[in-house]
Each structure stands twice: as structure tokens, then as C-alpha cells.
């Protein structure tokens, strides 16, 4: 088996953007990582202009979606099921929506944006909203765990030759 050279930035971004809704097949690490760099940088830049937490949550869910297909193909390239990224995305969406609609988060954001951070006021807000704090913490930890698992699987090398998801985009028969 012969290994093809890695994709450059422009080539990888063109390929990934042309397959933005293609959840079948396989993607090489270079295609995936270059595309994710673009998605994360552009998504983060856009969220800087969000007027509130709910709008920020909606923008985050949308920009996370643009990395979903590439991540599914990346997992499939190493022989893993894309179900991992779907679970991770669902948890990320749930976390974003919960944070965007949370009384606790909105009160904390108001306190921080006031310019004067009063530890006692923040402590009272958290105490009054302890149930939300527990839910937010649990959802954050679960979302983080699945995200780490997906990232680790995205680091794995391709399976040489074809697998159940298609032909290898990295290795070719000579």
C-alpha cells in the first residue's frame, strides 16, 4: 500500500466544504483538522458579537453543525462508528441551550457585565440556583467526556485499505 501525501490547508478546506452535508465515507486527518480549525475560528469570531447567551448558544449550535459531517467521516476513516460524534453533538447542543436559557447563567452574566464583581452576590446567586448549578455541572462534565473521547478517536490513523465505510482516502494499492 502506498500512502498519499497529506492535504494542504486550501485543498483540505475545499474538500471538506464541498462535503459539508456528506456523512458517508471517510476523511483523512489533514482534511478534518484543517476544516475544524476554520470552523472553530470563524464560529468563535461570530459568537464574540452575540448580544446575549441564548443567541450565542444558537450560533454555537450552528457552527458545531458545520464540523459534524467531517467528524463523522473522520471517525469512520479509522473504523469507528459516527454515533460517538452524534452523542457528543447532542450533549453539546443540550449544554448550549441549557446555558442560554439558564436563570443562573443569565444572572451571573449580568453580575460580571456590571463591572463590579461582588463575591457575596455571586455566592447568593449560586446558592439560590443550586439545582441549576448541579445540572449545569453534570451536563458540562458529560459533554466534556464525550468530546474528549471523540477528539482522541479523531487522532487515530486510518485503517489501511477499505473498511465498512468505504475506500481509504489515504492509502492506495500500487
Amino acid at each position: 500500500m502506498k500512502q498519499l501525501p497529506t492535504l494542504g490547508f486550501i485543498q483540505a478546506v475545499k474538500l471538506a466544504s464541498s462535503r459539508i452535508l456528506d456523512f458517508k465515507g471517510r476523511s483523512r486527518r489533514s482534511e478534518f483538522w484543517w476544516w475544524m480549525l476554520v470552523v472553530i475560528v470563524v464560529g468563535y469570531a461570530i459568537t464574540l458579537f452575540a448580544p446575549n447567551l441564548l443567541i450565542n448558544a444558537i450560533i454555537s449550535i450552528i457552527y458545531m453543525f458545520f464540523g459534524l459531517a467531517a467528524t463523522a467521516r473522520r471517525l469512520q476513516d479509522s473504523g469507528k462508528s459516527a454515533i460517538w460524534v452524534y452523542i457528543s453533538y447532542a450533549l453539546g447542543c443540550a449544554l448550549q441551550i441549557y446555558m442560554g436559557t439558564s436563570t443562573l447563567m443569565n444572572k451571573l452574566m449580568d453580575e460580571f457585565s456590571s463591572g463590579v464583581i461582588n463575591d457575596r452576590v455571586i455566592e447568593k446567586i449560586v446558592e439560590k440556583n443550586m439545582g441549576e448549578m448541579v445540572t449545569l455541572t453534570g451536563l458540562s462534565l458529560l459533554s466534556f467526556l464525550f468530546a474528549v473521547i471523540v477528539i482522541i478517536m479523531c487522532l487515530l490513523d486510518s485503517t489501511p485499505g477499505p473498511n465498512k465505510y468505504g475506500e481509504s482516502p489515504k492509502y492506495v494499492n500500487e
Side-chain angles (χ1 to χ4, degrees):
M1 294 241 150
K2 177 184 172 188
Q3 180 178 325
L4 297 174
T6 61
L7 300 173
F9 175 76
I10 300 295
Q11 189 180 14
V13 170
K14 282 182 180 178
L15 179 59
S17 63
S18 71
R19 300 175 66 195
I20 203 161
L21 295 175
D22 179 7
F23 291 83
K24 295 185 185 328
R26 299 168 63 173
S27 285
R28 297 179 64 179
R29 282 183 289 193
S30 52
E31 175 189 349
F32 170 75
W33 289 112
W34 284 123
W35 177 246
M36 291 308 293
L37 176 66
V38 169
V39 167
I40 290 168
V41 168
V42 170
Y44 180 74
I46 292 170
T47 59
L48 289 176
F49 300 104
N52 61 45
L53 285 174
L54 184 57
I55 301 297
N56 190 312
I58 292 167
I59 292 169
S60 295
I61 289 168
I62 292 169
Y63 90 75
M64 287 187 316
F65 177 78
F66 288 115
L68 194 58
T71 309
R73 290 191 312 269
R74 178 69 218 128
L75 292 178
Q76 292 167 176
D77 188 46
S78 60
K80 307 292 184 267
S81 171
I83 193 73
W84 287 97
V85 73
Y86 302 144
I87 293 169
S88 180
Y89 179 72
L91 288 168
C93 288
L95 178 61
Q96 289 296 324
I97 291 167
Y98 193 79
M99 284 177 47
T101 60
S102 166
T103 305
L104 169 67
M105 290 304 294
N106 282 299
K107 286 180 180 177
L108 288 174
M109 289 305 293
D110 289 344
E111 186 65 28
F112 286 117
S113 64
S114 72
V116 179
I117 300 173
N118 183 332
D119 291 344
R120 185 68 188 133
V121 172
I122 291 173
E123 190 177 302
K124 283 183 180 181
I125 292 170
V126 171
E127 283 176 7
K128 286 183 182 178
N129 298 283
M130 192 52 74
E132 281 189 51
M133 187 67 174
V134 170
T135 302
L136 185 60
T137 302
L139 195 52
S140 295
L141 289 172
L142 198 55
S143 180
F144 178 76
L145 175 66
F146 271 84
V148 167
I149 290 169
V150 169
I151 289 168
I152 290 170
M153 288 193 288
C154 287
L155 291 169
L156 299 174
D157 195 10
S158 304
T159 52
N163 67 18
K164 67 181 179 179
Y165 302 105
E167 292 294 323
S168 173
K170 180 177 179 178
Y171 299 102
V172 293
N173 290 325
E174 293 188 281

